[in-house]
Amino acid sequence: MVKFLKPNKAVVLLQGRFASWKAMIVRSFDDGTRDRPYGQCLIAGIAKYPKKVIRKDPAKKTVKKSRVKAFIKLVNYNHIMPTRYTLVVDLKDVVSTDVLQTRDKKVTAAKETKKRLEERFKTGKNRRFFSKLRF
């Protein structure tokens, strides 16, 4: 079987609190773990999308509208839908499975993820990833 759920692949969540929200795969576990014996992946996604920025907005308002909120989760393969898009944001050093063990580590990792996603948004690349799904 061809492995297509690779790191940096953009996915859409199908189940749970963040259903219909976009995320990216940080690391995938095809065989699962002892606790969770099924295929799963560690994802980092956008919990709050940036607002639309218009030209006449003051700089302070533009900065506020460009904010992103991030989340980190371990998700079953059945609950994600991969897309054809990839995102070039390096999160391997920030997000790992041991980050999910304690609340403090998870919060700090989410803040760092937020910072890197905001940097990517400000470059103007991957516009589709930073817009809400409309359906």
Side-chain angles (χ1 to χ4, degrees):
M1 187 171 147
V2 179
K3 185 176 178 183
F4 60 94
L5 293 172
K6 296 178 182 174
N8 298 334
K9 173 76 81 173
V11 295
V12 177
L13 292 174
L14 303 175
Q15 299 286 327
R17 177 181 177 187
F18 296 107
S20 80
W21 294 79
K22 296 176 187 172
M24 63 175 277
I25 297 175
V26 177
R27 189 168 175 214
S28 58
F29 305 97
D30 290 330
D31 300 327
T33 60
R34 194 162 22 110
D35 300 335
R36 301 175 180 206
Y38 47 82
Q40 57 195 333
C41 57
L42 184 64
I43 60 169
I46 299 177
K48 191 173 183 184
Y49 289 99
K51 303 275 192 280
K52 189 172 184 177
V53 177
I54 53 177
R55 194 177 306 135
K56 68 179 184 178
D57 280 344
K60 193 175 182 182
K61 196 169 189 178
T62 303
V63 169
K64 193 170 185 179
K65 281 185 171 183
S66 298
R67 287 190 184 145
V68 172
K69 187 175 180 185
F71 69 89
I72 301 166
K73 262 183 105 123
L74 198 60
V75 181
N76 189 334
Y77 282 161
N78 295 332
H79 303 312
I80 59 173
M81 181 176 68
T83 63
R84 65 182 180 178
Y85 301 103
T86 57
L87 202 68
V88 186
V89 178
D90 187 33
L91 296 174
K92 278 196 183 259
D93 57 335
V94 178
V95 181
S96 61
T97 51
D98 61 317
V99 165
L100 299 174
Q101 303 301 324
T102 64
R103 180 93 176 135
D104 296 333
K105 288 182 183 177
K106 189 173 180 179
V107 168
T108 54
K111 284 181 182 176
E112 183 63 30
T113 302
K114 167 190 157 102
K115 195 184 303 179
R116 292 187 186 191
L117 287 174
E118 281 179 356
E119 286 173 13
R120 187 64 182 179
F121 175 70
K122 287 175 185 169
T123 62
K125 297 180 180 175
N126 301 103
R127 284 265 181 223
R128 183 165 300 215
F129 185 77
F130 293 103
S131 62
K132 267 187 181 178
L133 271 182
R134 299 285 180 189
F135 56 91

